[in-house]
C-alpha cells in the first residue's frame, strides 16, 4: 500500500514537471493555486542549466586552445613566482652581506677595545710599579736621613 502511494506521488510529480514544459501557462495556474510561486521557475532554470551543460560541449580545437591558454597562464605565473623568489633571494643576500659586515666591524671594534684595555692595564701596572718604586726610594731616603740624624 505504501509503495503504491509513493509511486502515485512520484508519478504525479513527474507529470507536473513534464506539464511545466509542455503547457507552461497551465502549470503556472496550478502553481499559483498551491502557492508555489517559485517552483516552476526553479525547475525551468535547472533544465536550462542542464541543457547548457550538456549541449555546449567544446570542440577538440576549443579544448586544445583552452589548454594552450592555461599553459601560457601557468608559465606566466611560474615566471612571476620565480622572479619574486629571486628578488627575495637577492634581498636576503644583501641583508646577509650587511650583517656579515656588521659582525666583522663588531669583531674589529671588540678586538680594538680589548687591545686598548690591555694597554691601559699595562700602563696602570707600570704607574703602580713606579709609585711603589718612588715609595720605596722615599722610604729609603727617609731611613737614611733618620739614621744619619740619629747618629749625630
Amino acid at each position: 500500500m505504501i509503495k503504491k502511494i509513493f509511486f502515485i506521488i512520484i508519478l504525479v510529480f513527474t507529470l507536473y514537471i513534464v506539464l511545466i514544459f509542455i503547457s507552461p501557462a497551465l502549470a503556472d495556474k496550478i502553481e499559483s493555486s498551491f502557492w508555489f510561486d517559485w517552483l516552476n521557475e526553479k525547475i525551468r532554470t535547472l533544465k536550462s542549466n542542464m541543457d547548457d551543460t550538456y549541449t555546449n560541449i567544446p570542440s577538440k580545437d576549443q579544448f586544445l586552445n583552452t589548454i594552450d591558454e592555461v599553459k601560457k597562464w601557468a608559465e606566466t605565473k611560474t615566471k612571476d613566482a620565480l622572479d619574486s623568489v629571486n628578488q627575495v633571494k637577492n634581498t636576503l643576500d644583501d641583508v646577509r652581506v650587511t650583517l656579515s659586515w656588521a659582525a666583522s666591524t663588531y669583531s674589529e671594534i671588540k678586538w680594538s677595545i680589548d687591545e686598548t684595555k690591555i694597554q691601559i692595564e699595562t700602563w696602570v701596572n707600570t704607574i703602580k710599579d713606579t709609585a711603589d718604586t718612588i715609595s720605596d726610594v722615599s722610604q729609603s731616603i727617609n731611613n737614611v736621613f733618620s739614621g744619619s740624624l740619629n747618629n749625630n
Side-chain angles (χ1 to χ4, degrees):
M1 178 71 173
I2 293 176
K3 288 181 183 180
K4 287 182 182 181
I5 293 173
F6 185 69
F7 178 69
I8 291 172
I9 291 173
I10 290 179
L11 181 64
V12 168
F13 190 68
T14 304
L15 290 174
Y16 180 73
I17 290 175
V18 171
L19 184 66
I20 290 173
F21 299 107
I22 293 175
S23 178
L26 180 60
D28 288 342
K29 285 182 184 177
I30 293 171
E31 177 189 45
S32 64
S33 66
F34 285 109
W35 304 297
F36 295 130
D37 294 334
W38 51 269
L39 183 63
N40 289 355
E41 188 58 37
K42 290 286 184 183
I43 292 172
R44 288 181 188 123
T45 303
L46 178 65
K47 182 185 179 300
S48 175
N49 289 340
M50 288 176 60
D51 288 346
D52 289 343
T53 301
Y54 294 122
T55 58
N56 291 333
I57 298 173
S59 68
K60 179 181 175 184
D61 291 335
Q62 290 172 329
F63 186 70
L64 292 176
N65 287 339
T66 302
I67 289 175
D68 289 341
E69 289 174 12
V70 170
K71 280 183 184 178
K72 288 177 186 175
W73 175 83
E75 289 171 355
T76 302
K77 292 301 177 184
T78 302
K79 184 183 175 299
D80 291 346
L82 287 175
D83 290 344
S84 295
V85 167
N86 284 331
Q87 185 178 6
V88 169
K89 180 191 166 290
N90 291 336
T91 302
L92 289 175
D93 287 344
D94 291 345
V95 168
R96 186 174 54 237
V97 167
T98 302
L99 290 177
S100 176
W101 172 81
S104 174
T105 303
Y106 170 77
S107 294
E108 290 174 10
I109 291 171
K110 185 178 181 309
W111 178 82
S112 178
I113 289 172
D114 289 343
E115 288 295 314
T116 304
K117 181 180 170 188
I118 290 171
Q119 186 65 40
I120 290 172
E121 287 173 354
T122 302
W123 292 343
V124 166
N125 288 336
T126 303
I127 291 171
K128 281 182 182 177
D129 290 344
T130 303
D132 288 343
T133 302
I134 291 173
S135 177
D136 288 344
V137 168
S138 175
Q139 187 68 30
S140 294
I141 291 175
N142 283 339
N143 286 340
V144 168
F145 283 129
S146 35
S148 64
L149 290 177
N150 286 341
N151 288 338
N152 285 336

